[in-house]
Amino acid sequence: MKGKVIFKFFVLLVAFCFCFTAPALAKGKIKIGVYLPMTGAVAAYGQMEWNGLQVAHEMEPKVLGKDIELVLVDTKSDKIEAANAVSRLIEKEKVVAIIGEAISGNTMAGNPISEAAKIPSISPTATNPLVTQGKKYAFRACFIDPFQGQVAARFARNNLKAKTAAVIIDIAQDYCVGLANFFVKEFVKMGGKVVSTTYIQTGDQDFTAQLSAVQAAKPDIIYAPNYYTEDALMAKQARDLGINVPILTGDGAQADELIKIGGKAVENMYFTAHFHKKAATTELAKKYIAKFESKYKKEADAFGALAADAYFLLVDAIKRAGSTDGTKIRDALASTKNFPGVSGVITMGPDGNPIKSVVINKVENGKFVYVTTVNP
Amino acid sequence: MTKERRNLLLNIASIISVYIILWFFQKYGTEYQIRILNNMAVFITLAVSYNLVNGICGQLHLGPNAFITIGAYTAALLTMSPAEKQMSFIIKPLIWPFSVIQAPFPVSLIAAGIAATIFAFLISFPVFRVRGDYLAIVTLGFGEVIRVLCNALQSVTNGPLGLKGLKPYTTIWWSWSIAIFTVIVIQKLINSSWGRAMKAIRENEIAAQAMGINPFKHLMMAFLISAFFSGVAGGLLAHLITTISPTLFTFFLTFNLLIIIVVGGLGSTTGAVIGAMLFAWGGEALRVVESPMDIGPVHIPGIPGMRMVLFSVILMLVIIFARRGITGRNEFSWDWLFSKLSGK
């Protein structure tokens, strides 16, 4: 009996608490919607980007004299949820612009909805060329896969003096397939020869079959634009087999785990990337890096930097538009010229893809070292 | 008025009232609400057809994602315009018949269903040679095979880049009409002699065989019908989110469907419908717990993933207090409602 009374009292207490519950009030604020994979398969990217966004928000919390509020909605790394999230941000939260998603597939699910509602959206890291294709209100802060592949090919031909290349592609990732494809096109155009093309899948552990084919073809370099886990394991097995040619990869390799898993085998691995601390020369970048490192006590990463750029680009566009009208922000965003962002100087192309330089990094003594910058 | 006549009239009346509700949403609701309604209808179609094999026939089939994938890709390739296809296939060009044909949406949906059914027919021979856990493994394997093929066949599916730019043909009229149609067809089937035979196989296959029921024939029938509706729902889903890629059709999709039918009540169409509606609506409704809140003077920052925690708690509570799901194996019927109302 006593238990029942306590229980009733508890229920009343909870109900009482809820009477005072109100969604954090947002009067006279400018709302920017953020949809990111905070849980699910690619939650790590969402977390990194949200960290970057928060730092950027602290650096520039106001625009047009009003406070900016970031409204975060989780997508569970899923397309259906991503579409729901964008719909919710527009209809329920009444945001003026949207930042997200982290990966291309989900951004393609969200973009048609913001396009129809005439709300500009900017994705920090969706690199698939299809994301902005034929869309007026869709933008991104990163460069696209074809561009990164081309730069890698130029670097391989001009700086590494490679005549032949072996390509190893993770066919489960749109990103890897896109990069490899445009690398091959450019490399062949520049007089190089692709002597071996082999395929892997995300989650593979053993690459002996692919590497044996590479060994038999005797290439000057290996181009393996895959994610860090596969890159590290593959490098290890390649070195064990006695393949000592340089390995070139994409920005998917830029994670501390690469060095943790790969150890000595990933030494001298080159990769094209969006961002390196050393290459960041703008005022904004210096401020961002200092603030990020004092807040999170770790090195600023590319995902966070690109998310911050997405935010800064948007705030800059709202400032220049002088209004929160979707179409006006979109026009301002499209006319962004030489914006000194965190990941470099950004000019927005007519198709919603930024024109910006690519950084080339390399692993040396267990650290990512800046090599050079390739301008567009 | 006989009971049958009364029930028929009530069925018709309830279908009409569903359409009236939809009309109100169409006219006064927001895009967001309409999107959730669409999700609901697609999940109802998927859950009800999946329940036919899992709940009625009692075979633990874990490959509906294969049928949904085939349906989605078939429908998408048929409705996309040749120009859009040419623009999207940047790695390898799309192979011939697909690169030039274009079909209206209804045709593509039927084609989606048929393509999934043909695939189901082909795999039903190896699948129904085994039972129980082994059947689960074989169907799971086929689900994965299809997903891997979608990644590998770049000249048909555009590989991991996926397809985009599908027209948003899936309106609430289409999705709900198909959901209602699915429920009617599957209910008719379950209440026919075929359905009773399927239930007999579920309860005891050897006894059913002794009664002259051919298990293979009946299981295949259920499997093909389930595949057809899953394929159609796949086509609806593709035109709802307007972009598809192999990552959409992982085992998690199957897993969600399994949760829906188990929570709803394995073997009950009513349960599958209720489960699907709760799943599609609940996921969005629970977003409230992830947003920042002020409880009195205390400010709680939003914690992403909180709704998944709550969702799991709800699932556990349902399974603890209703061990056979929300409805168990019972179905909703007018007779039941009237006997309840008259207090008998």
Side-chain angles (χ1 to χ4, degrees):
Chain A
M1 200 58 208
K2 205 173 182 187
K4 227 173 185 177
V5 173
I6 292 174
F7 179 72
K8 271 186 183 164
F9 180 71
F10 181 73
V11 169
L12 270 177
L13 196 72
V14 171
F16 183 71
C17 285
F18 269 94
C19 293
F20 289 94
T21 308
L25 280 177
K27 283 241 169 68
K29 280 184 176 177
I30 291 180
K31 279 189 175 183
I32 293 180
V34 181
Y35 71 121
L36 287 174
M38 302 304 287
T39 57
V42 290
Y45 305 152
Q47 287 290 350
M48 287 193 275
E49 291 184 12
W50 181 234
N51 287 348
L53 275 175
Q54 280 172 309
V55 171
H57 183 233
E58 280 171 26
M59 285 166 69
E60 262 187 67
K62 272 175 187 268
V63 70
L64 306 179
K66 283 182 185 167
D67 283 336
I68 297 173
E69 192 196 346
L70 291 176
V71 185
L72 174 69
V73 179
D74 174 31
T75 65
K76 265 165 83 180
S77 316
D78 178 75
K79 273 197 184 56
I80 304 173
E81 294 267 339
N84 288 349
V86 172
S87 207
R88 183 184 175 96
L89 284 174
I90 294 171
E91 302 275 344
K92 214 161 178 189
E93 306 285 355
K94 310 269 183 225
V95 298
V96 300
I98 292 172
I99 297 175
E101 230 256 8
I103 61 170
S104 302
N106 296 349
T107 315
M108 287 201 278
N111 273 350
I113 299 162
S114 47
E115 180 86 10
K118 295 198 162 62
I119 298 283
S121 72
I122 177 162
S123 166
T125 49
T127 54
N128 183 334
L130 304 184
V131 168
T132 51
Q133 195 186 59
K135 295 261 182 302
K136 204 176 152 200
Y137 289 82
F139 296 88
R140 60 179 123 209
C142 52
F143 42 69
I144 55 172
D145 294 335
F147 179 58
Q148 194 181 166
Q150 282 164 5
V151 168
R154 271 183 246 157
F155 179 75
R157 281 294 288 149
N158 299 339
N159 299 48
L160 298 176
K161 307 284 174 221
K163 285 197 189 70
T164 55
V167 184
I168 302 177
I169 311 167
D170 182 344
I171 54 161
Q173 304 288 346
D174 56 346
Y175 154 80
C176 306
V177 174
L179 237 59
N181 226 276
F182 289 95
F183 171 85
V184 170
K185 274 187 193 157
E186 185 77 5
F187 193 68
V188 171
K189 209 168 92 190
M190 294 182 76
K193 202 173 158 204
V194 176
V195 286
S196 141
T197 309
T198 43
Y199 303 98
I200 60 166
Q201 289 244 11
T202 308
D204 280 0
Q205 301 278 329
D206 178 35
F207 306 103
T208 322
Q210 289 89 345
L211 289 168
S212 305
V214 171
Q215 200 167 25
K218 293 201 174 49
D220 292 338
I221 58 153
I222 296 174
Y223 186 58
N226 308 323
Y227 281 107
Y228 54 84
T229 318
E230 283 76 24
D231 270 340
L233 288 173
M234 191 205 68
K236 253 188 164 167
Q237 291 169 22
R239 299 308 181 222
D240 286 348
L241 282 171
I243 304 173
N244 282 317
V245 296
I247 299 174
L248 179 62
T249 163
D251 66 298
Q254 195 171 18
D256 291 337
E257 283 79 0
L258 178 83
I259 294 161
K260 266 186 220 148
I261 304 168
K264 273 218 138 44
V266 294
E267 281 289 305
N268 284 328
M269 183 186 262
Y270 290 92
F271 61 91
T272 48
H274 296 273
F275 174 74
H276 189 279
K277 241 175 79 174
K278 282 267 168 54
T281 47
T282 61
E283 260 325 291
L284 195 66
K286 283 181 190 142
K287 261 203 227 152
Y288 169 80
I289 292 166
K291 191 139 193 175
F292 187 97
E293 288 179 357
S294 76
K295 184 167 177 172
Y296 298 109
K297 308 273 173 280
K298 60 181 179 187
E299 268 200 26
D301 54 81
F303 282 95
L306 287 166
D309 265 349
Y311 178 81
F312 289 132
L313 281 169
L314 206 54
V315 172
D316 174 61
I318 296 175
K319 232 184 266 170
R320 280 186 291 119
S323 132
T324 53
D325 176 64
T327 311
K328 282 189 184 141
I329 299 175
R330 184 258 155 212
D331 291 341
L333 205 49
S335 60
T336 304
K337 281 234 153 54
N338 297 322
F339 179 77
V342 175
S343 64
V345 178
I346 302 166
T347 296
M348 201 52 85
D351 45 2
N353 301 326
I355 300 160
K356 57 197 273 198
S357 45
V358 178
V359 180
I360 294 186
N361 298 341
K362 145 187 194 184
V363 183
E364 212 174 82
N365 299 324
K367 279 218 162 65
F368 294 128
V369 180
Y370 167 67
V371 181
T372 180
T373 305
V374 180
N375 289 316
Chain B
M1 194 157 64
T2 62
K3 248 186 189 166
E4 281 76 34
R5 209 177 146 76
R6 181 199 70 190
N7 291 351
L8 182 70
L9 285 176
L10 282 170
N11 282 338
I12 291 169
S14 51
I15 289 173
I16 291 171
S17 53
V18 166
Y19 278 107
I20 290 172
I21 293 169
L22 290 179
W23 182 81
F24 270 105
F25 270 106
Q26 178 81 38
K27 196 150 170 75
Y28 302 107
T30 62
E31 282 292 315
Y32 179 53
Q33 289 163 335
I34 289 172
R35 177 161 288 277
I36 296 173
L37 280 175
N38 270 322
N39 281 341
M40 261 184 202
V42 171
F43 275 104
I44 287 174
T45 314
L46 288 173
V48 169
S49 60
Y50 185 42
N51 186 45
L52 181 64
V53 180
N54 269 31
I56 307 298
C57 298
Q59 308 297 323
L60 185 56
H61 148 52
L62 296 178
N65 58 334
F67 306 142
I68 303 167
T69 315
I70 292 173
Y73 272 100
T74 310
L77 283 171
L78 284 177
T79 58
M80 279 171 80
S81 69
E84 179 73 54
K85 285 178 196 163
Q86 211 184 357
M87 219 162 63
S88 297
F89 282 72
I90 50 177
I91 288 177
K92 281 183 188 162
L94 182 60
I95 53 166
W96 180 75
F98 297 116
S99 58
V100 287
I101 46 173
Q102 191 180 6
F105 183 54
V107 178
S108 82
L109 283 185
I110 293 169
I114 291 172
T117 314
I118 292 171
F119 173 74
F121 177 75
L122 294 178
I123 69 164
S124 64
F125 293 96
V127 163
F128 290 120
R129 289 185 75 100
V130 289
R131 288 292 185 274
D133 300 348
Y134 304 101
L135 187 138
I137 294 168
V138 173
T139 47
L140 178 69
F142 278 114
E144 281 298 290
V145 165
I146 289 297
R147 195 177 59 81
V148 171
L149 279 180
C150 284
N151 271 326
L153 296 175
Q154 288 170 2
S155 49
V156 182
T157 62
N158 209 13
L161 292 188
L163 300 173
K164 64 131 192 144
L166 311 182
K167 296 255 158 39
Y169 288 122
T170 304
T171 58
I172 44 176
W173 308 118
W174 273 110
S175 59
W176 278 91
S177 302
I178 288 172
I180 291 169
F181 180 68
T182 309
V183 171
I184 293 172
V185 170
I186 288 188
Q187 244 351 80
K188 286 268 174 219
L189 180 77
I190 292 172
N191 292 330
S192 71
S193 66
W194 287 85
R196 278 190 281 276
M198 286 169 192
K199 284 180 185 164
I201 294 167
R202 170 183 73 189
E203 296 308 327
N204 191 328
E205 190 171 338
I206 294 167
Q209 225 165 347
M211 299 308 289
I213 293 170
N214 180 349
F216 180 74
K217 204 169 94 183
H218 285 85
L219 290 180
M220 192 196 230
M221 169 102 167
F223 200 54
L224 297 191
I225 290 172
S226 167
F228 180 84
F229 286 114
S230 301
V232 173
L236 282 176
L237 189 64
H239 290 90
L240 178 63
I241 47 185
T242 69
T243 169
I244 49 172
S245 68
T247 50
L248 177 59
F249 307 105
T250 54
F251 178 66
F252 280 100
L253 188 58
T254 299
F255 190 61
N256 284 342
L257 290 177
L258 201 59
I259 290 177
I260 289 174
I261 60 171
V262 169
V263 167
L266 204 55
S268 158
T269 303
T270 317
V273 172
I274 293 175
M277 288 173 77
L278 281 181
F279 181 82
W281 171 78
E284 289 302 309
L286 285 178
R287 274 193 200 276
V288 176
V289 300
E290 284 183 9
S291 55
M293 272 197 276
D294 292 323
I295 297 180
V298 193
H299 178 78
I300 301 174
I303 307 164
M306 203 52 203
R307 69 193 161 119
M308 252 73 85
V309 176
L310 208 64
F311 192 70
S312 318
V313 171
I314 295 171
L315 283 188
M316 277 191 280
L317 288 179
V318 168
I319 295 302
I320 290 170
F321 289 106
R323 206 147 290 175
R324 303 201 116 184
I326 295 169
T327 60
R329 273 184 189 167
N330 309 315
E331 296 286 0
F332 171 82
S333 71
W334 297 113
D335 297 345
W336 168 83
L337 186 72
F338 280 105
S339 70
K340 277 273 162 198
L341 285 179
S342 58
K344 272 179 211 161

